[in-house]
Amino acid sequence: MSKGSPGPTPGFLVWRLANKWRVAVDRAVAPLGLTHAQYSLVASLHGMQRAGERPSQRRLADHTGLEALYVSKLARALESAGLIERTRDPRDPRAVQLALTEQGQAVTRQAIAVVQKLLQQWLEPLGGLDAPRTLAFTDELTTLLDAPLAPSVPNDESRQGTTP
């Protein structure tokens, strides 16, 4: 928290909220053999497949906001568990396409139902999933997610006077 503000900063609150949600989802999907990160991957893959897409690992990384290397690691673990299949893209031999297996689809549908109930419970203080406050909150979060954010570089005295 900053010295000048009487309460927590927005950044601190977003961090706390994200951690609270991650822990809650971890606990909710653990009985299905998933972690929050794995759930994010299979649920996103489920939605993309329903839309007719068979995404590459890179496309899924871009969609979820996860690092491509982390998506690759998660995909290998999910493949070992029999939930997804990884195949080479016939149009690009360097790319790996992902798809849910039948077992993966079943587990994902169960996980989505569990997380939807959790989400409804979590959003109850705002009036529930379809409440005006929740819709406004979602709009605000979307605005923040769409805003470019580049890390600032500390003033490095050894580079002063030089052109990068």
Short mmCIF file of all heavy atoms in Angstrom, two decimals, residues 127-161:
data_model
loop_
_atom_site.label_atom_id
_atom_site.label_comp_id
_atom_site.label_asym_id
_atom_site.label_seq_id
_atom_site.Cartn_x
_atom_site.Cartn_y
_atom_site.Cartn_z
N GLY A 127 -25.30 -8.81 -6.66
CA GLY A 127 -26.64 -9.08 -7.18
C GLY A 127 -26.72 -10.31 -8.07
O GLY A 127 -27.77 -10.59 -8.64
N GLY A 128 -25.60 -11.03 -8.22
CA GLY A 128 -25.60 -12.24 -9.05
C GLY A 128 -24.99 -12.01 -10.42
O GLY A 128 -24.62 -10.89 -10.78
N LEU A 129 -24.94 -13.08 -11.17
CA LEU A 129 -24.24 -13.08 -12.45
C LEU A 129 -24.80 -12.09 -13.47
O LEU A 129 -24.05 -11.45 -14.20
CB LEU A 129 -24.27 -14.50 -13.03
CG LEU A 129 -23.37 -14.81 -14.21
CD1 LEU A 129 -21.92 -14.50 -13.89
CD2 LEU A 129 -23.52 -16.26 -14.62
N ASP A 130 -26.11 -11.91 -13.51
CA ASP A 130 -26.71 -11.04 -14.52
C ASP A 130 -27.14 -9.68 -13.99
O ASP A 130 -27.83 -8.93 -14.68
CB ASP A 130 -27.93 -11.75 -15.14
CG ASP A 130 -27.52 -13.02 -15.86
OD1 ASP A 130 -26.48 -13.00 -16.56
OD2 ASP A 130 -28.22 -14.05 -15.72
N ALA A 131 -26.73 -9.35 -12.79
CA ALA A 131 -27.12 -8.08 -12.16
C ALA A 131 -26.42 -6.89 -12.82
O ALA A 131 -25.30 -7.02 -13.32
CB ALA A 131 -26.80 -8.11 -10.67
N PRO A 132 -27.06 -5.73 -12.82
CA PRO A 132 -26.43 -4.53 -13.40
C PRO A 132 -25.05 -4.22 -12.80
O PRO A 132 -24.13 -3.84 -13.53
CB PRO A 132 -27.43 -3.41 -13.08
CG PRO A 132 -28.75 -4.11 -12.96
CD PRO A 132 -28.44 -5.46 -12.38
N ARG A 133 -24.89 -4.39 -11.48
CA ARG A 133 -23.58 -4.12 -10.87
C ARG A 133 -22.52 -5.08 -11.39
O ARG A 133 -21.37 -4.69 -11.61
CB ARG A 133 -23.65 -4.22 -9.34
CG ARG A 133 -24.35 -3.03 -8.70
CD ARG A 133 -24.37 -3.13 -7.20
NE ARG A 133 -23.02 -3.01 -6.65
CZ ARG A 133 -22.71 -3.35 -5.40
NH1 ARG A 133 -23.63 -3.84 -4.58
NH2 ARG A 133 -21.48 -3.21 -4.97
N THR A 134 -22.89 -6.34 -11.60
CA THR A 134 -21.94 -7.32 -12.12
C THR A 134 -21.57 -6.98 -13.55
O THR A 134 -20.39 -7.07 -13.94
CB THR A 134 -22.52 -8.75 -12.04
OG1 THR A 134 -22.80 -9.05 -10.67
CG2 THR A 134 -21.56 -9.77 -12.60
N LEU A 135 -22.55 -6.59 -14.36
CA LEU A 135 -22.28 -6.22 -15.75
C LEU A 135 -21.36 -4.99 -15.81
O LEU A 135 -20.43 -4.94 -16.63
CB LEU A 135 -23.58 -5.97 -16.50
CG LEU A 135 -24.51 -7.19 -16.59
CD1 LEU A 135 -25.83 -6.81 -17.26
CD2 LEU A 135 -23.84 -8.34 -17.32
N ALA A 136 -21.59 -4.02 -14.93
CA ALA A 136 -20.73 -2.83 -14.88
C ALA A 136 -19.32 -3.21 -14.43
O ALA A 136 -18.32 -2.73 -14.99
CB ALA A 136 -21.33 -1.78 -13.94
N PHE A 137 -19.23 -4.09 -13.44
CA PHE A 137 -17.94 -4.58 -12.94
C PHE A 137 -17.18 -5.29 -14.07
O PHE A 137 -15.98 -5.06 -14.29
CB PHE A 137 -18.18 -5.52 -11.75
CG PHE A 137 -16.96 -6.14 -11.16
CD1 PHE A 137 -15.95 -5.37 -10.62
CD2 PHE A 137 -16.82 -7.52 -11.13
CE1 PHE A 137 -14.81 -5.95 -10.05
CE2 PHE A 137 -15.70 -8.12 -10.57
CZ PHE A 137 -14.69 -7.33 -10.04
N THR A 138 -17.88 -6.11 -14.82
CA THR A 138 -17.28 -6.83 -15.95
C THR A 138 -16.78 -5.85 -17.01
O THR A 138 -15.68 -6.02 -17.55
CB THR A 138 -18.30 -7.82 -16.56
OG1 THR A 138 -18.72 -8.72 -15.54
CG2 THR A 138 -17.71 -8.58 -17.73
N ASP A 139 -17.56 -4.81 -17.28
CA ASP A 139 -17.12 -3.79 -18.24
C ASP A 139 -15.85 -3.10 -17.76
O ASP A 139 -14.93 -2.84 -18.56
CB ASP A 139 -18.22 -2.75 -18.46
CG ASP A 139 -19.38 -3.27 -19.30
OD1 ASP A 139 -19.22 -4.32 -19.97
OD2 ASP A 139 -20.45 -2.63 -19.27
N GLU A 140 -15.80 -2.77 -16.47
CA GLU A 140 -14.61 -2.11 -15.91
C GLU A 140 -13.39 -3.02 -16.01
O GLU A 140 -12.30 -2.57 -16.38
CB GLU A 140 -14.85 -1.70 -14.45
CG GLU A 140 -15.95 -0.69 -14.25
CD GLU A 140 -15.61 0.70 -14.79
OE1 GLU A 140 -14.45 0.96 -15.14
OE2 GLU A 140 -16.53 1.53 -14.86
N LEU A 141 -13.56 -4.29 -15.68
CA LEU A 141 -12.44 -5.24 -15.77
C LEU A 141 -11.97 -5.37 -17.22
O LEU A 141 -10.76 -5.40 -17.48
CB LEU A 141 -12.84 -6.61 -15.22
CG LEU A 141 -13.06 -6.68 -13.71
CD1 LEU A 141 -13.63 -8.03 -13.32
CD2 LEU A 141 -11.77 -6.39 -12.96
N THR A 142 -12.91 -5.42 -18.15
CA THR A 142 -12.56 -5.53 -19.57
C THR A 142 -11.78 -4.31 -20.03
O THR A 142 -10.79 -4.43 -20.75
CB THR A 142 -13.84 -5.72 -20.42
OG1 THR A 142 -14.50 -6.91 -19.98
CG2 THR A 142 -13.51 -5.84 -21.90
N THR A 143 -12.19 -3.14 -19.57
CA THR A 143 -11.48 -1.90 -19.91
C THR A 143 -10.03 -1.98 -19.43
O THR A 143 -9.10 -1.64 -20.17
CB THR A 143 -12.18 -0.68 -19.29
OG1 THR A 143 -13.49 -0.58 -19.85
CG2 THR A 143 -11.41 0.61 -19.54
N LEU A 144 -9.85 -2.43 -18.20
CA LEU A 144 -8.49 -2.54 -17.65
C LEU A 144 -7.67 -3.59 -18.39
O LEU A 144 -6.48 -3.39 -18.65
CB LEU A 144 -8.54 -2.85 -16.15
CG LEU A 144 -9.09 -1.73 -15.27
CD1 LEU A 144 -9.23 -2.21 -13.84
CD2 LEU A 144 -8.21 -0.50 -15.35
N LEU A 145 -8.28 -4.71 -18.74
CA LEU A 145 -7.56 -5.76 -19.45
C LEU A 145 -7.17 -5.33 -20.86
O LEU A 145 -6.14 -5.75 -21.39
CB LEU A 145 -8.40 -7.04 -19.52
CG LEU A 145 -8.45 -7.85 -18.22
CD1 LEU A 145 -9.50 -8.94 -18.32
CD2 LEU A 145 -7.09 -8.44 -17.90
N ASP A 146 -7.98 -4.47 -21.47
CA ASP A 146 -7.71 -4.00 -22.83
C ASP A 146 -6.68 -2.87 -22.87
O ASP A 146 -6.14 -2.56 -23.93
CB ASP A 146 -9.00 -3.53 -23.51
CG ASP A 146 -9.93 -4.68 -23.85
OD1 ASP A 146 -9.47 -5.85 -23.85
OD2 ASP A 146 -11.11 -4.42 -24.12
N ALA A 147 -6.42 -2.24 -21.73
CA ALA A 147 -5.47 -1.13 -21.68
C ALA A 147 -4.04 -1.65 -21.80
O ALA A 147 -3.67 -2.60 -21.11
CB ALA A 147 -5.64 -0.35 -20.38
N PRO A 148 -3.24 -1.06 -22.68
CA PRO A 148 -1.84 -1.49 -22.79
C PRO A 148 -1.10 -1.19 -21.49
O PRO A 148 -1.35 -0.17 -20.84
CB PRO A 148 -1.29 -0.67 -23.95
CG PRO A 148 -2.23 0.45 -24.15
CD PRO A 148 -3.55 0.05 -23.55
N LEU A 149 -0.23 -2.08 -21.12
CA LEU A 149 0.52 -1.90 -19.88
C LEU A 149 1.93 -2.40 -20.11
O LEU A 149 2.17 -3.60 -20.18
CB LEU A 149 -0.15 -2.68 -18.75
CG LEU A 149 0.41 -2.49 -17.35
CD1 LEU A 149 0.26 -1.04 -16.90
CD2 LEU A 149 -0.31 -3.39 -16.37
N ALA A 150 2.85 -1.46 -20.23
CA ALA A 150 4.25 -1.82 -20.40
C ALA A 150 4.97 -1.51 -19.09
O ALA A 150 4.74 -0.47 -18.48
CB ALA A 150 4.87 -1.01 -21.53
N PRO A 151 5.81 -2.44 -18.66
CA PRO A 151 6.54 -2.17 -17.41
C PRO A 151 7.46 -0.97 -17.58
O PRO A 151 8.05 -0.78 -18.64
CB PRO A 151 7.34 -3.45 -17.18
CG PRO A 151 7.39 -4.15 -18.49
CD PRO A 151 6.21 -3.68 -19.28
N SER A 152 7.53 -0.17 -16.54
CA SER A 152 8.44 0.98 -16.61
C SER A 152 9.85 0.49 -16.32
O SER A 152 10.07 -0.46 -15.59
CB SER A 152 8.03 2.04 -15.59
OG SER A 152 8.11 1.51 -14.29
N VAL A 153 10.79 1.16 -16.96
CA VAL A 153 12.19 0.80 -16.78
C VAL A 153 12.79 1.80 -15.82
O VAL A 153 12.69 3.01 -16.02
CB VAL A 153 12.94 0.84 -18.15
CG1 VAL A 153 14.40 0.50 -17.97
CG2 VAL A 153 12.26 -0.08 -19.13
N PRO A 154 13.42 1.30 -14.74
CA PRO A 154 14.04 2.23 -13.79
C PRO A 154 15.11 3.07 -14.48
O PRO A 154 15.71 2.63 -15.46
CB PRO A 154 14.66 1.33 -12.73
CG PRO A 154 14.31 -0.06 -13.07
CD PRO A 154 13.63 -0.08 -14.40
N ASN A 155 15.33 4.25 -13.98
CA ASN A 155 16.33 5.14 -14.53
C ASN A 155 17.70 4.54 -14.27
O ASN A 155 18.20 4.54 -13.16
CB ASN A 155 16.20 6.53 -13.89
CG ASN A 155 17.07 7.55 -14.59
OD1 ASN A 155 17.68 7.26 -15.62
ND2 ASN A 155 17.13 8.74 -14.03
N ASP A 156 18.31 4.03 -15.32
CA ASP A 156 19.61 3.37 -15.21
C ASP A 156 20.68 4.40 -15.54
O ASP A 156 20.84 4.81 -16.68
CB ASP A 156 19.65 2.19 -16.20
CG ASP A 156 20.95 1.40 -16.12
OD1 ASP A 156 21.88 1.85 -15.42
OD2 ASP A 156 21.01 0.35 -16.77
N GLU A 157 21.44 4.81 -14.51
CA GLU A 157 22.44 5.87 -14.69
C GLU A 157 23.52 5.47 -15.70
O GLU A 157 24.09 6.32 -16.36
CB GLU A 157 23.08 6.24 -13.35
CG GLU A 157 22.09 6.92 -12.43
CD GLU A 157 22.72 7.26 -11.09
OE1 GLU A 157 23.95 7.39 -11.03
OE2 GLU A 157 21.96 7.40 -10.13
N SER A 158 23.79 4.18 -15.83
CA SER A 158 24.85 3.75 -16.75
C SER A 158 24.43 3.94 -18.21
O SER A 158 25.27 3.93 -19.09
CB SER A 158 25.23 2.29 -16.50
OG SER A 158 24.15 1.44 -16.84
N ARG A 159 23.13 4.13 -18.46
CA ARG A 159 22.66 4.28 -19.83
C ARG A 159 22.34 5.73 -20.17
O ARG A 159 21.96 6.03 -21.29
CB ARG A 159 21.41 3.42 -20.04
CG ARG A 159 21.73 1.95 -19.93
CD ARG A 159 20.52 1.11 -20.17
NE ARG A 159 19.98 1.38 -21.50
CZ ARG A 159 18.71 1.23 -21.82
NH1 ARG A 159 17.83 0.83 -20.96
NH2 ARG A 159 18.30 1.49 -23.05
N GLN A 160 22.45 6.63 -19.21
CA GLN A 160 22.11 8.02 -19.48
C GLN A 160 23.03 8.58 -20.55
O GLN A 160 24.24 8.32 -20.57
CB GLN A 160 22.25 8.87 -18.21
CG GLN A 160 21.09 8.60 -17.26
CD GLN A 160 21.19 9.50 -16.03
OE1 GLN A 160 22.13 10.24 -15.84
NE2 GLN A 160 20.17 9.38 -15.18
N GLY A 161 22.43 9.31 -21.46
CA GLY A 161 23.20 9.92 -22.53
C GLY A 161 23.40 9.01 -23.71
O GLY A 161 24.03 9.40 -24.68
#
